[in-house]
Amino acid sequence: MNDNSSSELLHRLARIATDLGPALAPAGHQELLRSITAAAKDIFEAAACSLALLDDAQEELTFYVASGAGADDVIGLKVPVGQGIAGWVVTSGQPIEIADVTRDPRFARDVAESTGYVPRAILAMPLETDRQMLGVIEVLDRRSAGGSGARDMELLALFARQAALAIENSRVFSNLGRALFEAAGRAGDGDLNVALEAVARQAFVPDPELAELA
């Protein structure tokens, strides 16, 4: 196989990996996350449920999907990691239950007011895997507030694990496609394995496993 054919094959492979990533993520990633927040809202009989994700620098949270009161206004909302209940959860890595937000200094009322819905009670759980912190899922004003907090935490943790799995799967395939594109450009007629390892080492978050997967 000549150099041109080899380079063309690498680019085709990278394109396939990129195109298949969203398809291989369960239920299309965003659709699954939306269904998770909707299901959590219904099961907890809550006014709303939202899911926020960290940016690459882990300095800002973006509310990615939401269901219920204020959902249209909260989607796309960005807040610094150090702000609000969601920011505290991702910074500490701990879940939290707040029965009355007016008594908690961590509650960012101005952010809530910008969505048109100010909750009274919040249940929040970090979204994380063994590899990294991804974000937070919040349940607002659930009907069972004041009941069995431990039971509700366990239930919300199930939703959080499912969401984290969907997010990580989608990112793995997306990163694979990007790594192949970059490695194909670097490799030329050289060693693709060396190029892939270089891409993984120089990623925003060094990831040697990415080169192994590719």
Side-chain angles (χ1 to χ4, degrees):
M1 180 180 295
N2 60 40
D3 291 345
N4 288 338
S5 296
S6 177
S7 178
E8 181 181 352
L9 178 59
L10 287 174
H11 280 86
R12 287 176 60 191
L13 182 59
R15 174 63 65 187
I16 290 171
T18 301
D19 290 344
L20 283 181
L24 291 171
H29 180 56
Q30 186 166 357
E31 290 76 10
L32 177 60
L33 297 182
R34 189 177 294 110
S35 71
I36 287 172
T37 59
K41 173 186 172 297
D42 291 343
I43 287 178
F44 285 105
E45 297 183 86
C49 180
S50 61
L51 186 151
L53 299 180
L54 283 165
D55 63 1
D56 288 339
Q58 296 197 335
E59 295 177 348
E60 192 174 59
L61 280 164
T62 299
F63 283 86
Y64 194 66
V65 294
S67 298
D72 291 340
D73 291 318
V74 78
I75 294 174
L77 182 67
K78 299 179 183 294
V79 296
V81 165
Q83 183 175 356
I85 302 301
W88 183 88
V89 169
V90 298
T91 300
S92 67
Q94 299 296 317
I96 190 171
E97 178 186 10
I98 300 175
D100 185 355
V101 297
T102 63
R103 300 186 177 186
D104 196 304
R106 292 167 294 190
F107 178 61
R109 174 172 289 275
D110 57 336
V111 174
E113 289 177 345
S114 71
T115 70
Y117 179 75
V118 179
R120 180 175 179 83
I122 295 177
L123 186 66
M125 180 71 60
L127 299 175
E128 60 182 332
T129 66
D130 292 337
R131 294 161 57 85
Q132 62 181 321
M133 176 68 68
L134 299 172
V136 60
I137 184 170
E138 293 184 318
V139 173
L140 311 181
D141 290 330
R142 71 195 193 282
R143 179 171 292 185
S144 59
S148 176
R151 178 185 60 80
D152 285 352
M153 282 289 191
E154 290 178 2
L155 183 56
L156 186 58
L158 295 177
F159 285 100
R161 282 194 290 271
Q162 183 65 24
L165 178 62
I167 294 164
E168 187 165 64
N169 283 348
S170 179
R171 288 182 176 178
V172 164
F173 285 102
S174 176
N175 289 342
L176 172 58
R178 185 176 65 251
L180 285 170
F181 270 126
E182 293 182 16
R186 296 184 185 198
D189 57 358
D191 191 324
L192 178 60
N193 288 334
V194 172
L196 282 169
E197 290 173 0
V199 169
R201 285 196 303 270
Q202 295 174 17
F204 184 84
V205 178
D207 188 2
E209 293 181 5
L210 181 60
E212 182 178 351
L213 174 62

